[in-house]
């Protein structure tokens, strides 16, 4: 029995974009790492689980980082302080994966950048190449009894068949348009654009595509590609009829998401 006199009761808060409770974030050596999963690196001893629960956050999407265009698979967690990693995994949750666009994936801020892609046109080609390979893989799987199973391709086939959903790190309108067009050319849809700080410029196209938006309340001006961010982004997207969430991407901010929203 809890005496709630003078207190406030709210629904549990869900953080769409979290990196807490993980012992690793990026597998950055390749331009696609769809074969890895964040479920393998859950750290149940992270004190931020306790702090987020104290702030009302009950569920998170533990995302891979933004080092590659096609990142690792997500872990959907019900936060439980003192539980094991396995006990926090939300068994009934749909399957997700992290994609990324922009400066991070083309390694524009790395002095030792040495892998493809190095430009925005290269980023687009990564998606086209890998989904083309995934379609070929699926066809071979149907016709060749001796095909070699490939976990990376299996994951991409799930995306093509609507069995796994894409959350994509994004900022700039040209790349938002690009990824929607690539997805449509392979007959699937992006589920969520996360960060999406120039989403207000293409809200009508996002609505037509059927994608949701997960953005910051007031986090911008930390690198060049967010220079056009405005404080009205979430409101404009919401008024355009999109599903809109406020995400954290930060273990400190996530424990006060109620105030951010």
């Amino acid at each position: 029995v809890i005496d709630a006199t003078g207190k406030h009761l709210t629904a549990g808060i869900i953080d769409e974009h979290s990196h807490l409770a993980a012992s690793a974030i990026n597998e950055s050596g390749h331009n696609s790492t769809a074969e890895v999963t964040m479920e393998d690196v859950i750290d149940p001893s992270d004190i931020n689980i306790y702090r987020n629960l104290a702030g009302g956050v009950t569920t998170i999407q533990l995302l891979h980082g933004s080092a590659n265009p096609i990142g690792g698979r997500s872990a959907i967690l019900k936060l439980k302080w003192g539980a094991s990693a396995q006990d926090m995994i939300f068994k009934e949750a749909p399957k997700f994966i992290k994609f990324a666009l922009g400066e991070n994936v083309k390694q524009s801020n790395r002095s030792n950048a040495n892998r493809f892609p190095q430009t925005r046109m290269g980023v687009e080609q990564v998606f086209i190449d890998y989904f083309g390979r995934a379609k070929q893989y699926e066809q071979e799987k149907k016709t060749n009894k001796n095909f070699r199973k490939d976990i990376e391709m299996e994951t991409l086939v799930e995306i093509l068949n609507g069995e796994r959903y894409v959350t994509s790190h994004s900022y700039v309108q040209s790349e938002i348009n690009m990824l929607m067009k690539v997805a449509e050319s392979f007959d699937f849809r992006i589920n969520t654009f996360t960060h999406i700080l120039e989403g207000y410029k293409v809200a009508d196209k996002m609505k037509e595509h059927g994608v949701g938006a997960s953005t910051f309340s007031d986090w911008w001006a930390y690198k060049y590609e967010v220079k056009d961010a405005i404080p009205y982004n979430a409101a404009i997207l919401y008024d355009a009829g999109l599903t809109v969430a406020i995400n954290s991407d930060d273990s400190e901010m996530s424990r006060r998401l109620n105030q951010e929203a």
Side-chain angles (χ1 to χ4, degrees), residues 29-34 67-71 98-102 105-107 115-134 152-153 156 159-160 175 178-179 182-183 185-186 188:
H30 293 169
N31 51 27
S32 168
T33 54
N68 4 51
I70 300 173
K98 169 76 171 287
F99 280 16
L101 308 170
V105 295
K106 67 187 185 72
Q107 301 185 321
R115 67 125 169 90
F116 178 82
Q118 296 290 295
T119 65
R120 294 181 192 273
M121 61 182 173
V123 174
E124 179 176 7
Q125 197 60 44
V126 165
F127 295 121
I128 293 170
D129 289 348
Y130 274 94
F131 282 115
R133 284 176 55 194
E152 181 181 22
M153 289 296 115
L156 297 181
I159 298 169
L160 291 172
E175 293 193 306
M178 174 274 288
L179 190 55
V182 169
S185 72
F186 285 96
F188 72 94

Side-chain angles (χ1 to χ4, degrees), residues 75-88:
I76 311 296
L77 304 182
K78 292 286 285 184
L79 297 182
K80 301 173 185 178
W81 183 243
S84 69
Q86 205 62 33
D87 286 342
M88 283 196 292

